[in-house]
Amino acid sequence: MSRNNIFVVGLNDLNRQRLQQLRGAEAHRIHGLIAPEEIYDTEVFPLEDMVRRAGETLSAFDEPIDAIIGYMDFPVSTMLPILCQRFGTRTTSLESLLRCEHKYWSRLVQREVIGNYIPRFTAFDPFDDDALAKIGAAGLYFPFFVKPIKSSGSRLGFRIDSPEDFQLAIGRLRNEIGLISEPFNFILEQARLPEEVRAVDGGYCMAEEIIGGWQCTVEGYVFEGEVVPYGIVDSIRYPQVLSFFRYHYPSRLPEHIQARMRDLTQTIMTHIGYDNAAFNIEFFWDEIQNRVWLLEINTRISQSHCDLFAKVDGVSHQQVTVDLALGRRPDMPHREGGFRVAGKFFYRVFFVDARVTRVPTDQELKALEQTFPGTFIELQVEPGQQLSTLPEQDSYSYALAYIWMGADSDEALENNYAQLAERLTFEFTDIIG
């Protein structure tokens, strides 16, 4: 039996294991493309060189290339349209992807069809000493949120409550924005952009009206022009801060709110022209005002949600990515998993910095996973590590471990995590609180 050759940018052991558990996996040969440490363990992305080396690897492959996929945000997501176009595999166009990932362009396009569901916004140059005054002239006043035109995760995102907050954020942005702006500008050079978008390159930032409420993510895909939302995952934060506490599936939002989010998803993704690829959209529901807000669009499945779908629906939603890349309508089951609910928990410390001196041992982790069946724990730190060296962290805390758990009820899930968290032992020195 001939097998499909599927190349995965940044393939690591965890994702290889997940891919081997998909429906039809016996018909796939999985190949890595770009070492995972170049994607996961760094904040420096020589994107032009990465695209060149990936192209050389693919060109040297002497069998058919059936699919090129990835599960990461920047830089992986932006590489895929370039590589897929070059080697004749399926994904959405670079321009439609950028209508989602270039935050300013995305807001402009959203405003054309769902303007009542997005916050007020403006772009600004963080190196412009008059930036704050220009933000005010655009109708945005304290408090507001700032973030780069292109970012990854929650990195370099700040709530601004005062001029002092803005100056502190500007200092960080000026020092660090180049890590993403330079490689993102390489991607922009490959695309056909409207002039108003081309003028706002990767070195710019966004200021947006503060929105909030019950946060969730609609996971979906587009197949031959048909937009299909297939699951909604709640994103629950720690009290009073922006840091995530857990992702929870299925969503506990009222059904009529979920239906409105699915409708908005179909409207905007059709308007963008996104096709033959997976995506997810983050929304807020402001329960007091009964108002839905669109936060942002991501051009990939969420890796954090893979195990949640496997636990509840029976297979990781990587199924969607693989099937679409092979030109097939996704064969995604529904509620065929071993648990009624599932969560990914973020075990965090709220330090400015510290040095890790102890992490849970393999034996301790294995005992916890056996105590709570279906649990998987992935440490994010090791002894001797300085917390400030961790990549992809928000501005308020550090995630020491990710814990995926399943249960038969919401209450059981929360209670099981509370018991597990009490038994996770980390130790630190040189703590800066």
Side-chain angles (χ1 to χ4, degrees):
M1 177 182 70
S2 62
R3 294 197 290 172
N4 298 306
N5 291 302
I6 300 173
F7 283 83
V8 184
V9 180
L11 178 66
N12 60 14
D13 292 340
L14 177 59
N15 278 316
R16 182 180 290 277
Q17 181 181 9
R18 287 170 171 167
L19 290 166
Q20 291 169 343
Q21 297 170 351
L22 299 183
R23 293 180 169 187
E26 66 279 358
H28 304 153
R29 291 175 60 203
I30 305 299
H31 309 270
L33 189 63
I34 301 295
E37 57 268 19
E38 294 188 58
I39 306 297
Y40 292 94
D41 300 333
T42 181
E43 294 182 347
V44 178
F45 304 113
L47 197 46
E48 184 172 2
D49 180 63
M50 294 168 76
V51 170
R52 177 188 59 78
R53 287 187 287 114
E56 290 174 350
T57 299
L58 293 166
S59 294
F61 190 69
D62 58 3
E63 297 180 33
I65 298 170
D66 298 291
I68 307 169
I69 63 174
Y71 303 110
M72 284 287 290
D73 192 0
F74 188 83
V76 174
S77 58
T78 51
M79 296 171 62
L80 293 176
I82 296 172
L83 294 172
C84 289
Q85 181 181 34
R86 185 179 304 174
F87 292 94
T89 61
R90 290 166 66 93
T91 194
T92 197
S93 69
L94 178 59
E95 286 75 19
S96 66
L97 179 137
L98 289 173
R99 289 186 200 107
C100 304
E101 293 212 9
H102 186 298
K103 294 186 188 299
Y104 182 62
W105 194 6
S106 189
R107 285 300 193 208
L108 293 177
V109 174
Q110 293 164 29
R111 190 166 62 187
E112 294 170 358
V113 290
I114 57 169
N116 291 333
Y117 298 91
I118 64 172
R120 288 175 294 166
F121 66 93
T122 190
F124 69 93
D125 180 353
F127 294 92
D128 181 355
D129 291 337
D130 294 325
L132 184 57
K134 292 177 180 177
I135 290 170
L140 282 169
Y141 309 102
F142 303 123
F144 57 86
F145 198 75
V146 299
K147 54 189 173 182
I149 284 294
K150 179 62 202 159
S151 187
S152 182
S154 302
R155 187 167 164 269
L156 294 181
F158 303 92
R159 178 188 169 102
I160 307 299
D161 291 290
S162 67
E164 292 76 20
D165 286 347
F166 187 74
Q167 290 306 314
L168 288 172
I170 285 295
R172 285 279 305 278
L173 288 162
R174 289 178 176 179
N175 287 334
E176 301 178 34
I177 197 171
L179 292 173
I180 288 183
S181 66
E182 292 181 12
F184 189 56
N185 283 343
F186 164 74
I187 296 295
L188 296 180
E189 291 168 2
Q190 318 303 310
R192 299 181 300 275
L193 305 176
E195 285 306 312
E196 64 180 324
V197 174
R198 186 170 296 281
V200 180
D201 67 13
Y204 273 68
C205 293
M206 290 280 285
E208 291 193 343
E209 177 186 5
I210 295 288
I211 57 176
W214 187 326
Q215 186 174 354
C216 66
T217 301
V218 175
E219 293 279 359
Y221 64 83
V222 189
F223 176 70
E224 299 294 347
E226 179 187 0
V227 182
V228 181
Y230 58 85
I232 301 181
V233 179
D234 292 336
S235 301
I236 300 168
R237 297 179 185 269
Y238 282 85
Q240 309 303 319
V241 295
L242 294 176
S243 302
F244 286 116
F245 172 48
R246 79 175 187 271
Y247 300 139
H248 185 280
Y249 181 66
S251 173
R252 296 178 293 178
L253 281 166
E255 177 52 39
H256 72 281
I257 297 299
Q258 296 189 44
R260 191 187 310 175
M261 291 176 176
R262 289 191 289 266
D263 288 344
L264 290 169
T265 295
Q266 291 171 326
T267 297
I268 188 58
M269 298 312 289
T270 299
H271 183 65
I272 284 171
Y274 195 84
D275 203 5
N276 297 315
F279 67 87
N280 66 64
I281 303 183
E282 297 174 51
F283 287 98
F284 284 115
W285 175 46
D286 184 331
E287 187 173 2
I288 295 174
Q289 300 185 53
N290 192 27
R291 183 167 186 176
V292 172
W293 298 100
L294 191 154
L295 177 59
E296 66 180 12
I297 306 172
N298 301 303
T299 58
R300 50 168 174 76
I301 66 165
S302 169
Q303 284 193 84
S304 290
H305 299 164
C306 287
D307 195 63
L308 309 188
F309 280 93
K311 282 179 166 46
V312 175
D313 289 335
V315 69
S316 163
H317 64 329
Q318 287 165 311
Q319 188 78 47
V320 170
T321 298
V322 170
D323 285 345
L324 289 169
L326 292 172
R328 305 168 179 167
R329 180 179 293 277
D331 180 21
M332 188 68 196
H334 184 71
R335 305 300 187 262
E336 297 180 16
F339 300 92
R340 293 184 61 189
V341 299
K344 176 188 177 181
F345 293 84
F346 296 79
Y347 185 93
R348 297 183 181 274
V349 290
F350 293 84
F351 299 153
V352 173
D353 203 359
R355 183 174 296 278
V356 180
T357 57
R358 185 194 188 276
V359 302
T361 65
D362 290 342
Q363 292 79 7
E364 291 169 346
L365 296 178
K366 186 175 297 183
L368 287 170
E369 291 174 350
Q370 291 174 346
T371 300
F372 303 99
T375 294
F376 172 63
I377 304 170
E378 186 180 57
L379 299 183
Q380 301 300 300
V381 295
E382 57 188 23
Q385 187 165 10
Q386 197 75 23
L387 292 180
S388 57
T389 65
L390 284 172
E392 300 296 333
Q393 301 296 306
D394 63 37
S395 302
Y396 307 94
S397 67
Y398 297 98
L400 305 183
Y402 301 149
I403 299 103
W404 289 267
M405 306 184 78
D408 291 331
S409 69
D410 296 340
E411 182 179 13
L413 183 67
E414 294 172 12
N415 289 339
N416 288 349
Y417 174 73
Q419 294 177 50
L420 182 148
E422 288 182 356
R423 294 166 59 181
L424 281 177
T425 304
F426 293 85
E427 295 177 1
F428 309 90
T429 59
D430 305 324
I431 296 174
I432 304 174

